[in-house]
Amino acid sequence: MLETASSLFYRHGVRSVGVDLVVLEAGVAKTSLYRHFRTKDDLIAAFLEREDADFWGGWDRVAARHTDDPMAELEAHLDWIGERVARPNYRGCPQLNVAAEFPQTDHPARKVAAAHKREFRRRLRGIAERLGASRPDELAGQLSLLINGAFVSAQVLGPGEATPLLKATARALIAASKTA
Amino acid sequence: MLETASSLFYRHGVRSVGVDLVVLEAGVAKTSLYRHFRTKDDLIAAFLEREDADFWGGWDRVAARHTDDPMAELEAHLDWIGERVARPNYRGCPQLNVAAEFPQTDHPARKVAAAHKREFRRRLRGIAERLGASRPDELAGQLSLLINGAFVSAQVLGPGEATPLLKATARALIAASKTA
DNA sequence: CACGACACAAACAGGTCTGTATCGATCAGG
DNA sequence: CCTGATCGATACAGACCTGTTTGTGTCGTG
């Protein structure tokens, strides 16, 4: 059920998918949905938590293959992210999409999204430290801007452009982070 | 009327603002609104066109002060953008927000947003060429990712962090664009 | 077998949405 | 002063939304 809702929410946007469509597509009764999720807002938050877990699952799988080489790890992450962004049905980062759909920062889903982006920057800072950047938090911020930019720029990027652009940019930023 | 609609749309999101609220706030009749805009979708497209014109108005005003120094022009743009992003009521780039709210790429407002982002990259390429980058289109793509990333990362950036982060990143990218 | 927890189905309540229709007021030009 | 165009106000149509209620079935466990 949550999987069906997640797929619908991601493809068509959270606000344009009603609970009636979710229960129809999932083949469950509306009472069942409301037993597991108190409100639709809770369902949206659960959707983002699921996406969050999926994202870090993929991240950790990549990171585990490069425990001793932070540069290789970062490039592997950018490969993976660039490939995902270039997919034909890519519709942007779900966390950013939901944040754009709900301006209220106290919405339960917004809290999930904010935590996700904080964690994202935290992990980038870890890599920046291991890379020996002189100001790791600055490098993490730069990489965070870069990758979030890629998430929202899929439409304007040419096919296959994302990955090389991400990697070239990251290399330039890392080189600069050591000289200063 | 369009100004009222634009303010409401930007602050609360397009989908959560109904035409009834627009006409109430604008002090006009709904018949008048529908005389000037055939549908709400047309009103949304007009909202983005207005934002587009405003954005390039500000851009051109900045550019006019630095016609002979592309580096100074870019830094001035980043100053202006960073300041805007750091404002307390900043709610992201309206073009990106609407794109996130409407997955259908054939929505009239999506066409305005796509054209805006193409124009954005086109102008950045002009600056990259004048800067003497060896691959100006690549540098423009990098700067485009960077700035769009800043647009969506306002929530996660610390106060006053945006501008120095943007400028430091741009300098690193420009330095790298000349050596390669 | 019996019971309780959970499932589906379907109707409903109360509200909101876009877009239209109707009516009266105002105002400018001939 | 008359006519026509534009405006505001209001009610309405028809659809959609979230969430609840009611009733019926079904399954696993004691």
Side-chain angles (χ1 to χ4, degrees), chain A residues 121 125 128-129 133-142, chain B residues 161 165:
Chain A
R121 182 157 176 180
R125 187 168 54 240
E129 285 164 0
S134 55
R135 287 182 299 278
D137 197 55
E138 180 183 52
L139 179 56
Q142 293 175 324
Chain B
E161 194 185 4
L165 202 52

Side-chain angles (χ1 to χ4, degrees), chain A residues 26-32 35-36:
Chain A
V28 301
K30 212 186 324 191
T31 38
S32 303
R35 204 183 344 269
H36 295 294

Side-chain angles (χ1 to χ4, degrees), chain A residues 58-155:
Chain A
W59 180 282
D60 287 340
R61 231 175 300 121
V62 168
R65 284 199 295 270
H66 304 279
T67 53
D68 53 350
D69 184 346
M71 189 65 200
E73 179 188 341
L74 179 60
E75 297 222 340
H77 287 312
L78 296 180
D79 269 323
W80 160 59
I81 290 171
E83 186 270 332
R84 176 173 288 206
V85 165
R87 285 215 265 261
N89 293 339
Y90 184 73
R91 271 256 306 131
C93 167
Q95 316 283 344
L96 293 175
N97 286 346
V98 169
E101 287 199 83
F102 295 92
Q104 314 93 339
T105 50
D106 60 344
H107 189 289
R110 287 294 300 271
K111 296 177 185 171
V112 179
H116 175 85
K117 290 304 177 189
R118 277 195 304 271
E119 172 68 10
F120 190 57
R121 182 157 176 180
R122 195 188 67 80
R123 297 208 185 198
L124 290 174
R125 187 168 54 240
I127 293 178
E129 285 164 0
R130 288 192 287 139
L131 280 167
S134 55
R135 287 182 299 278
D137 197 55
E138 180 183 52
L139 179 56
Q142 293 175 324
L143 293 173
S144 157
L145 288 194
L146 170 70
I147 298 172
N148 280 323
F151 285 153
V152 298
S153 301
Q155 306 268 1

